[in-house]
Amino acid sequence: MKALVYTAPRQLEWQDWPNPRPGPGDAVVRVKSAAVCGSDVHGWLGHSRGRKPPLILGHEIEGEVVELDAPQSGFAPGARVTVYPLLGCDRCAYCESGRDYLCAQRKLLGMHMPGGFAELLQVPAKNLYALPAEVEPAHGALVEPLACGLHMAGLAAQERGAAVILGAGSIGLMCLLAARQMGFAKLAVLEVNPHRSAVALKLGAELAVSPRDPDHVQRLQDYSGADGYAAVFDAAGFTPTRQLALRLVRSAGLVVFAGLGEQETPLDCVEIVRREIRIAGSFAYNRSHFQKAVDWVASRRVDLSGWISEAKLADGQQVFEDLIDPAGTRIKVILRP
Ligand SMILES: [Zn+2]
Ligand SMILES: [Zn+2]
C-alpha cells in the first residue's frame, strides 16, 4: 500500500509500505479520508515525545472495512466506519468504565502504531463505529475532533452565563459548536488569525477578539459583564492564554484547559484560592462522547461545512506546511488517499 510517512522533523514522504493483515480481533480498513489533527502537526515539527519516525501519523479516520478476523464484531466487509483511535489495556478500572483514554497503558493510532495517513489501516474491531448513511462523505473523519469538543464543552454543562474560547483552531471551533448547543447566554472567542475569527463568528460566536488588539482583555471583560465568564475554555494552552483564563473567569467559575501548547505555566494560585476558581483538564473523549459525536454528525446538528478543506494524501507535505503558516486559511484539512 501507499502511505504518507513521517520520516524526519518537517518531512513527510509518500512511500510503499507492506499491506496490513488483521490479527485476531482486528479489522483492516480502507481509508477514505483522514483529517489532520494539531497533534499530528506538532509531531511532524518534531515536538512530540511519542511520535518517532518512521511513522504513519493520523487518528481521525473514515473508511470501509475490507477484511476482518472478528466474527462477533457485528461488522462485515463493506461497512462504512469511523475509528475510535485509543487502545486501552482492557483490564484497569478506567478501561472497564469506558474511559480508556485515561488508561496508563493506552496507545494511540498514528503514535504508538501506524495511523490513518495510508491506504489501509489495521485496528481492533471493537474500535470501529458504524457510520449511518446520513453522514456526508468525509465527515466521518471529523467525529474524533468533535468528540474532543463535546468532552470539553460537556465539562461545563452545569455552568450558566457567558463563556469564552481561547483559540479558534479546529478543537476550539468544535468546542464552540458543542457549547452553542448548551445554552450559554453569550459566547466569545479570542483568536489571532482573522480567517479563523471570521469562521468562529459564522459558527455562532458573538464576539471575536484578537490578542494583538491592545484592548483585547478589556473588550472581553466588557462583553462578559462585571462578574466575568462562567466558563473559559483554553484550546491553545500557552502561558498567556492560561493566565488570561484566570483573569476572565468569574469567582467560582470553571476554567477548562485543553490546549497543550506549553508544558509549564506559572499561575496565580492566591487568585485561584481566594476566588474559588475551578480548573479542569480535558483530554480526548470517552466512548459515549464518541458515539454522541457520530450521532451529531449524522443528524447535522453541527455545521461542518465551509471551514473544512480537502487535499490528496500524497500532497500531505504541502498541507502540513500550509497549516503552520500563521496567515494561512486552512483550519481543518481532510486528506484522501
Ligand atoms: Zn486529534
Ligand atoms: Zn486500561
Side-chain angles (χ1 to χ4, degrees), residues 57-125:
L57 300 165
H59 57 262
E60 304 178 359
I61 300 155
E62 170 177 333
E64 187 182 297
V65 174
V66 285
E67 206 180 348
L68 278 155
D69 183 3
Q72 312 299 330
S73 67
F75 288 96
R80 187 179 173 206
V81 293
T82 185
V83 177
Y84 182 88
L86 290 154
L87 287 80
C89 73
D90 278 343
R91 291 181 299 276
C92 73
Y94 296 110
C95 286
E96 282 176 0
S97 60
R99 294 182 296 163
D100 32 15
Y101 70 105
L102 294 175
C103 172
Q105 320 291 331
R106 70 170 179 273
K107 294 187 165 60
L108 176 68
L109 293 177
M111 181 145 131
H112 305 98
M113 54 196 60
F117 293 162
E119 290 176 322
L120 296 169
L121 170 79
Q122 177 185 2
V123 64

Side-chain angles (χ1 to χ4, degrees), residues 35-40 51 59-60 85 108 144-145 148 171 285 332:
V36 182
C37 176
S39 68
D40 292 318
R51 290 173 172 88
H59 57 262
E60 304 178 359
L108 176 68
E144 196 268 6
C148 282
I171 294 301
Y285 34 76
K332 191 70 176 169

Side-chain angles (χ1 to χ4, degrees), residues 38-333:
S39 68
D40 292 318
V41 177
H42 193 71
W44 170 76
L45 288 167
H47 298 161
S48 157
R49 275 175 292 180
R51 290 173 172 88
K52 300 224 165 51
L55 177 69
I56 302 172
L57 300 165
H59 57 262
E60 304 178 359
I61 300 155
E62 170 177 333
E64 187 182 297
V65 174
V66 285
E67 206 180 348
L68 278 155
D69 183 3
Q72 312 299 330
S73 67
F75 288 96
R80 187 179 173 206
V81 293
T82 185
V83 177
Y84 182 88
L86 290 154
L87 287 80
C89 73
D90 278 343
R91 291 181 299 276
C92 73
Y94 296 110
C95 286
E96 282 176 0
S97 60
R99 294 182 296 163
D100 32 15
Y101 70 105
L102 294 175
C103 172
Q105 320 291 331
R106 70 170 179 273
K107 294 187 165 60
L108 176 68
L109 293 177
M111 181 145 131
H112 305 98
M113 54 196 60
F117 293 162
E119 290 176 322
L120 296 169
L121 170 79
Q122 177 185 2
V123 64
K126 67 181 168 60
N127 287 56
L128 300 179
Y129 282 71
L131 285 176
E134 297 77 42
V135 175
E136 272 187 57
H139 283 188
L142 304 173
V143 165
E144 196 268 6
L146 177 59
C148 282
L150 280 169
H151 183 192
M152 248 175 112
L155 288 170
Q158 307 306 318
E159 314 302 320
R160 290 291 170 267
V164 59
I165 296 161
L166 310 180
S170 54
I171 294 301
L173 292 173
M174 290 295 189
C175 177
L176 170 67
L177 289 170
R180 235 189 108 185
Q181 311 262 337
M182 289 173 35
F184 285 108
K186 295 176 168 183
L187 274 168
V189 161
L190 179 77
E191 169 57 48
V192 69
N193 176 310
H195 174 69
R196 294 180 179 203
S197 295
V199 170
L201 291 169
K202 187 183 148 254
L203 295 181
E206 284 150 4
L207 174 73
V209 178
S210 167
R212 295 225 175 95
D213 175 347
D215 296 325
H216 69 276
V217 178
Q218 190 60 51
R219 286 182 62 199
L220 287 169
Q221 288 172 333
D222 288 347
Y223 180 69
S224 67
D227 286 348
Y229 288 87
V232 181
F233 301 98
D234 178 16
F238 292 92
T239 292
T241 56
R242 289 173 179 156
Q243 292 180 339
L244 178 61
L246 293 192
R247 289 179 68 185
L248 294 176
V249 72
R250 74 179 177 203
S251 294
L254 178 69
V255 172
V256 177
F257 284 148
L260 294 166
E262 282 177 88
Q263 188 92 27
E264 292 188 18
T265 292
L267 292 177
D268 185 339
C269 295
V270 170
E271 189 79 352
I272 294 169
V273 171
R274 283 207 181 129
R275 298 209 294 117
E276 291 202 349
I277 294 167
R278 291 165 297 136
I279 297 180
S282 178
F283 173 69
Y285 34 76
N286 63 29
R287 283 174 174 266
S288 42
H289 298 122
F290 209 77
Q291 182 60 57
K292 193 170 174 184
V294 170
D295 298 343
W296 279 30
V297 171
S299 62
R300 307 196 185 181
R301 216 171 136 172
V302 284
D303 183 358
L304 300 173
S305 59
W307 60 283
I308 312 289
S309 54
E310 295 192 14
K312 282 203 211 114
L313 182 58
D315 298 333
Q317 174 71 23
Q318 184 58 50
V319 169
F320 274 62
E321 282 169 14
D322 294 349
L323 282 167
I324 58 165
D325 175 357
T329 55
R330 285 196 188 274
I331 304 178
K332 191 70 176 169
V333 185

